[in-house]
Amino acid sequence: MANRDSEHPAIVLALSGGGAAGMAHIGVLQVLSEEGIAVRAVVGTSIGAEIGAFFASGMPVDDLASLATAFDWKKTLQLFLPDLPAGGLISGVRIVDFLNGWIGQQRIEELGLGYAAVAADLASGEQVVLDKGDLVEAVRAAISIPGIMAPHRYGERWLVDGGIINPVPFDVARTRFGGPVVAVAVQSGRRGREGMVESASASAQWPRHIHQLLDQPWMARAPVLRDWLRGETKHTRERQPAAPPWSTRRVLDRALDITRSEIVRLRAALQPPELVLEPVVGDIGLLEFYRAREAIAAGRDAALAALPRLRALR
């Protein structure tokens, strides 16, 4: 990493949202570190804000990769157990505890390199750039996926995931920190027939995971989640093998991918980054954090393929 005041050339990273697939950012960071390509600032939306916060806080990239790959699907679901607050399925308390345990109390303006998280004001629809104050609080606001995690109160505002307004914040990165800007976009909205087949294959593993989860002792403390999961196993058993892969959830996921892709295209027409990396993340679902190895490998592949252009930006 490079200090924000370094005189040596260094890039500015803009890290997209994308849920669990966004762990591809870790693979990109690994390649940059291995190649000695310095980063002087990072701006992130949603999972990009979270990965960027770990990086900006000083955590070594290999330690970040180890933390991510240690998550199995049970640990993932425990973080996202519904506690049904107003405005979402989860309050985010467990996630904040997790972040505080690893990042601790750090202020953005005191970090060793530039950092900003992008969120959206739920009332006004405005973009909100969080570039000072408590680091974990900024991340909590930026990862508030509508409908899943309750909005976060930040001063007088109620903030949600910045991905709804700026999925890949390369324009914010340039405005705040200058260039050259390297954007990492994990939701390109261009998954074809091959990706659909992969999705159907991955979905076939879900019933086995559900039955393993239902056997966990702590599941008795989450009756709402337990009943929902039982309903999911029944629905999966009744599904015809030849049915198309367009489940309700995947229709919604695909629609969001297309919308985000169009927002990115319009923003890029006004203020494009010097380089865009698009890791091929396949069918990694929003909360499938137990697939970290796949996501990280996709990020590494994208960065390695672009090495000549990355080196030219130094």
Side-chain angles (χ1 to χ4, degrees):
M1 288 186 291
N3 187 281
R4 70 175 78 193
D5 298 320
S6 173
E7 296 179 358
H8 299 288
I11 64 173
V12 177
L13 285 176
L15 305 181
S16 76
M23 289 184 292
H25 299 316
I26 299 173
V28 173
L29 290 170
Q30 282 182 325
V31 172
L32 295 177
S33 177
E34 291 163 5
E35 295 294 324
I37 298 173
V39 176
R40 60 186 172 84
V42 58
V43 177
T45 289
S46 195
I47 185 68
E50 185 172 357
I51 299 298
F54 278 109
F55 181 67
S57 71
M59 177 177 281
V61 178
D62 286 343
D63 289 353
L64 178 53
S66 296
L67 175 62
T69 54
F71 263 76
D72 59 18
W73 62 274
K74 295 176 187 176
K75 292 179 181 177
T76 299
L77 284 175
Q78 284 177 324
L79 276 184
F80 287 89
L81 276 178
D83 49 6
L84 303 178
L89 291 175
I90 67 172
S91 64
V93 170
R94 297 181 186 90
I95 294 173
V96 169
D97 288 344
F98 168 78
L99 293 171
N100 277 324
W102 288 98
I103 293 177
Q105 298 295 316
Q106 297 197 55
R107 296 189 64 81
I108 294 172
E109 57 269 33
E110 296 173 358
L111 298 173
L113 70 161
Y115 175 84
V118 176
D121 187 308
L122 191 57
S124 69
E126 296 175 315
Q127 174 175 273
V128 179
V129 178
L130 306 172
D131 58 1
K132 56 181 177 294
D134 184 77
L135 180 60
V136 168
E137 188 176 8
V139 173
R140 169 61 182 86
I143 63 174
S144 304
I145 304 172
I148 294 180
M149 191 180 299
H152 182 61
R153 181 150 193 178
Y154 194 92
E156 298 302 314
R157 297 177 181 262
W158 287 98
L159 302 183
V160 294
D161 192 312
I164 68 172
I165 194 168
N166 198 344
V168 191
F170 46 79
D171 51 346
V172 176
R174 185 178 303 284
T175 300
R176 296 294 168 120
F177 301 108
V181 174
V182 175
V184 186
V186 298
Q187 72 274 50
S188 65
R190 292 200 297 269
R191 295 176 185 170
R193 177 67 185 172
E194 182 180 349
M196 288 161 37
V197 173
E198 290 173 355
S199 297
S201 174
S203 295
Q205 302 175 27
W206 181 236
R208 176 169 55 84
H209 289 330
I210 290 178
H211 284 297
Q212 291 173 343
L213 180 63
L214 288 170
D215 289 338
Q216 298 301 305
W218 53 264
M219 183 56 69
R221 302 195 301 271
V224 174
L225 178 62
R226 181 190 59 207
D227 292 345
W228 180 81
L229 288 172
R230 284 174 175 166
E232 276 290 293
T233 58
K234 181 176 184 295
H235 171 72
T236 303
R237 286 196 304 269
E238 294 173 350
R239 187 181 302 154
Q240 295 297 320
W246 291 114
S247 66
T248 300
R249 181 177 67 85
R250 295 202 178 279
V251 168
L252 292 173
D253 286 348
R254 175 62 175 162
L256 287 172
D257 275 349
I258 294 170
T259 301
R260 290 166 180 157
S261 182
E262 184 65 7
I263 293 173
V264 171
R265 185 186 68 80
L266 294 172
R267 286 183 177 271
L270 297 175
Q271 200 171 21
E274 276 72 20
L275 178 62
V276 178
L277 305 181
E278 294 184 295
V280 180
V281 293
D283 69 317
I284 298 175
L286 183 69
L287 301 181
E288 293 181 326
F289 290 96
Y290 55 88
R291 299 177 67 180
R293 295 184 190 280
E294 297 173 59
I296 292 171
R300 288 188 62 88
D301 289 345
L304 289 170
L307 262 183
R309 289 175 291 167
L310 283 168
R311 288 169 176 156
L313 293 176
R314 291 190 290 183

